[in-house]
Amino acid sequence: MLQTTQGIVLRTVKYSDTQMIADLYTETAGRASFVVRMPRTRRGGVKSVLFQPLALVELEADFRPAATIYKVVEAKSAYPFSSLPYDPFKSAIALFLSEFLCRALREEAENRALYAYLYHSIVWLDECREGFANFHLVFLMRLSRFLGLYPNLENYHPGDYFDLQNACFTSLRPQGHANYIGPEEASRLQQLMRMNYATMHLFAMNRAERARCLGVINDYYRLHLPGFPELKSLEVLKEIFD
């Protein structure tokens, strides 16, 4: 059955000389995989440039009930990027977030609220001209709400530790495990959790502090998402912002 849906590109894998497999997070079907025919000529098939990391596309595909991979009939851009693929900093963020989302988003069911969050966040990054160095940190903290992992901020008090394993702030140092951060880093983390894209430029961090925050957030997800692997693009992103 042919259906049209929007989707966000998470990754692509070459399947043959004329086909690739694209994993997308779609508006109507959640996480889904598609086989895309690559053109032999400039006029044939679907252009591979449409499937760059975090690209926003509109697909017409054959959604057969028993299928696990759907055949793309036609594809076009749902939002042509103006800066994201051409800015090296934004491209690094996009590469990291596409890999992160590919590992974190596993639900094969419609979640329009999550899709809208991802879509509008990507558009915001593309349109932003400055002050986006903390984007990936705020993005990941806000994403945790949709995955049921967001900590309770109401219980925070200055001087608290943050227990990554139990997802809570605590006045006492956690016992029995080493998955926690001290009061200074916990204070920085709770401030970051309260930020949004419009205010995040007010949260000044140097490269080392930003890299540490990213490492803590990544560790937090790894603790709460079974099988979450080491990400190849993590170290690249840690080093890119001065």
Side-chain angles (χ1 to χ4, degrees):
M1 177 180 175
L2 292 181
Q3 295 182 8
T4 300
T5 185
Q6 287 191 0
I8 298 165
V9 177
L10 305 181
R11 69 173 176 182
T12 58
V13 178
K14 185 177 180 181
Y15 183 64
S16 69
D17 289 340
T18 59
Q19 293 179 317
M20 69 177 179
I21 303 296
D23 289 333
L24 279 73
Y25 191 79
T26 69
E27 184 177 26
T28 59
R31 175 75 177 261
S33 296
F34 299 86
V35 59
V36 183
R37 184 172 64 86
M38 306 301 294
R40 288 184 177 276
T41 65
R42 292 184 178 182
R43 294 184 178 181
V46 175
K47 302 297 186 293
S48 60
V49 71
L50 288 175
F51 292 87
Q52 58 194 303
L54 295 190
L56 306 172
V57 298
E58 183 177 298
L59 303 172
E60 183 180 15
D62 188 2
F63 284 87
R64 299 189 179 186
T68 56
I69 301 179
Y70 308 111
K71 181 179 179 181
V72 172
V73 176
E74 187 175 348
K76 63 181 180 180
S77 175
Y79 171 86
F81 288 135
S82 62
S83 69
L84 196 150
Y86 317 112
D87 183 305
F89 299 104
K90 290 184 179 181
S91 294
I93 290 174
L95 182 64
F96 168 72
L97 292 182
S98 63
E99 184 183 8
F100 192 100
L101 292 171
C102 189
R103 303 300 185 180
L105 302 180
R106 305 168 184 177
E107 186 177 2
E108 297 178 353
E110 178 183 311
N111 187 335
R112 289 182 181 265
L114 173 54
Y115 181 83
Y117 168 69
L118 299 175
Y119 182 96
H120 292 298
S121 294
I122 295 166
V123 170
W124 189 96
L125 178 61
D126 182 65
E127 294 180 346
C128 181
R129 292 298 175 258
E130 59 183 8
F132 56 83
N134 293 333
F135 175 86
H136 52 297
L137 305 179
V138 175
F139 175 92
L140 293 178
M141 293 312 306
R142 291 163 66 90
L143 175 67
S144 67
R145 286 187 183 275
F146 295 93
L147 303 183
L149 305 178
Y150 197 74
N152 181 2
L153 300 184
E154 301 303 320
N155 295 329
Y156 173 77
H157 298 92
D160 280 356
Y161 295 81
F162 182 66
D163 185 332
L164 278 75
Q165 188 164 302
N166 294 303
C168 65
F169 292 96
T170 174
S171 60
L172 300 176
R173 186 172 65 180
Q175 302 296 313
H177 65 83
N179 298 313
Y180 65 87
I181 56 177
E184 183 178 349
E185 289 186 330
S187 173
R188 186 180 297 122
L189 188 63
Q190 72 86 25
Q191 287 180 338
L192 183 63
M193 290 176 185
R194 296 182 184 277
M195 292 287 174
N196 57 38
Y197 299 143
T199 62
M200 65 185 182
H201 68 282
L202 302 174
F203 191 53
M205 285 190 288
N206 59 38
R207 183 171 66 180
E209 291 170 337
R210 188 174 293 112
R212 174 58 179 160
C213 277
L214 180 58
V216 169
I217 294 171
N218 186 66
D219 290 344
Y220 181 73
Y221 272 95
R222 293 192 70 194
L223 282 169
H224 294 279
L225 293 178
F228 195 85
E230 291 281 358
L231 301 179
K232 296 178 180 179
S233 57
L234 180 61
E235 291 303 319
V236 175
L237 192 61
K238 283 182 179 180
E239 295 296 327
I240 195 167
F241 289 104
D242 289 318

